[in-house]
Amino acid sequence: MVFEGIPRDAVRFYDELEQDNSKEFWGRQEQRYAVSVREPLTLLVEALAGEFGEPHVYRPQRDLRFSHDKRPYKDHQGAVVRVADGMGWYVELGAGGLTTAGGVFRPAPDQVERLRRGVDDDHTGERLRGIVEALAADGFDIGGEQLRTRPRGVAEDHPRLDLMRHKSLTARHRHGEPVWLCSVTTLDRVRADWRAMAPLVAWLTEHVGPSTAASRGRR
């Protein structure tokens, strides 16, 4: 099978799941989820694997072990191509439509330390600033978890203080539900977004890399 688009029913499915996030709803709609959501998203990321790497499609169930929120299912379907722990390219379907992203999402403490070291260096830090500014100019939202003030020991007048605050760093493009969603154009748009984010992912791969801590679980 080849990717031909994402049915609009995928967005409707998550609209309805937001209203009834129950095992009973899922039991009635599981085949619909498989056909409208999981299968097309899997075909999409498999079509991108030759250029970006082996994808992983997340499971739909939420991990409830340490959560007070006991809703059994995620309100979106995500897939990722990892280049290191918590780092790579991402695509998501949900009630808000299609979203693409790239960067470092859930870094370990040693990765955060290397991220800030790379930002602090005038050469590598300015290169990252240029990458981030170019993505913002192209319409990507620059985000990630940030400190409210600044890391300990960092001067108030640091030339890249905005980047030094980041504990994670992402670029995101929220497409919503465009007219091309149910066509093969979706593949072209996701590929173009991931290519645009490639310099950010490359910088993170070079200057942050994988965590040296014990291997972390994947969901």
Side-chain angles (χ1 to χ4, degrees):
M1 297 179 66
V2 296
F3 178 77
E4 296 180 342
I6 294 170
R8 296 195 181 280
D9 186 55
V11 179
R12 303 288 84 77
F13 173 86
Y14 282 105
D15 281 334
E16 295 173 29
L17 183 65
E18 285 187 351
Q19 303 303 314
D20 184 9
N21 194 325
S22 67
K23 291 183 179 179
E24 291 74 21
F25 172 85
W26 196 270
R28 297 192 304 269
Q29 303 293 336
E30 189 168 5
Q31 181 62 23
R32 178 186 174 196
Y33 159 79
V35 171
S36 293
V37 178
R38 192 170 186 91
E39 182 179 288
L41 189 69
T42 299
L43 291 172
L44 171 66
V45 292
E46 286 178 349
L48 295 165
E51 180 173 350
F52 296 95
E54 188 67 25
H56 171 76
V57 179
Y58 288 104
R59 64 188 185 187
Q61 295 84 4
R62 297 180 64 247
D63 185 350
L64 305 180
R65 292 174 297 173
F66 308 107
S67 175
H68 294 296
D69 182 353
K70 298 303 180 183
R71 291 177 300 167
Y73 301 101
K74 297 173 184 175
D75 60 4
H76 61 275
Q77 177 64 63
V80 65
V81 172
R82 294 186 180 93
V83 296
D85 303 302
M87 186 187 307
W89 290 276
Y90 179 74
V91 61
E92 176 184 296
L93 281 172
L98 177 73
T99 298
T100 60
V104 56
F105 300 90
R106 297 176 57 196
D110 62 307
Q111 291 175 300
V112 176
E113 180 182 350
R114 290 194 296 276
L115 171 61
R116 290 183 177 147
R117 194 183 305 153
V119 172
D120 191 40
D121 181 89
D122 284 337
H123 174 68
T124 59
E126 283 302 307
R127 185 152 62 92
L128 178 61
R129 188 212 293 273
I131 291 169
V132 167
E133 289 179 349
L135 284 167
D138 283 344
F140 289 85
D141 297 321
I142 305 302
E145 184 182 358
Q146 301 178 53
L147 297 176
R148 291 184 178 180
T149 55
R150 64 184 189 279
R152 184 177 301 175
V154 175
E156 292 184 9
D157 61 350
H158 192 288
R160 292 171 297 281
L161 183 58
D162 55 337
L163 289 172
M164 289 294 286
R165 291 193 179 109
H166 279 266
K167 298 177 70 176
S168 58
L169 180 61
T170 63
R172 193 175 300 269
H173 195 165
R174 294 176 175 85
H175 289 280
E177 193 178 353
V179 295
W180 44 259
L181 183 65
C182 55
S183 75
V184 72
T185 300
T186 296
L187 174 60
D188 299 329
R189 294 299 183 100
V190 175
R191 181 187 289 115
D193 282 358
W194 282 13
R195 284 176 176 173
M197 291 182 278
L200 174 61
V201 174
W203 189 98
L204 292 166
T205 302
E206 179 180 358
H207 299 290
V208 178
S211 174
T212 56
S215 178
R216 300 185 295 172
R218 296 182 176 181
R219 294 197 294 271

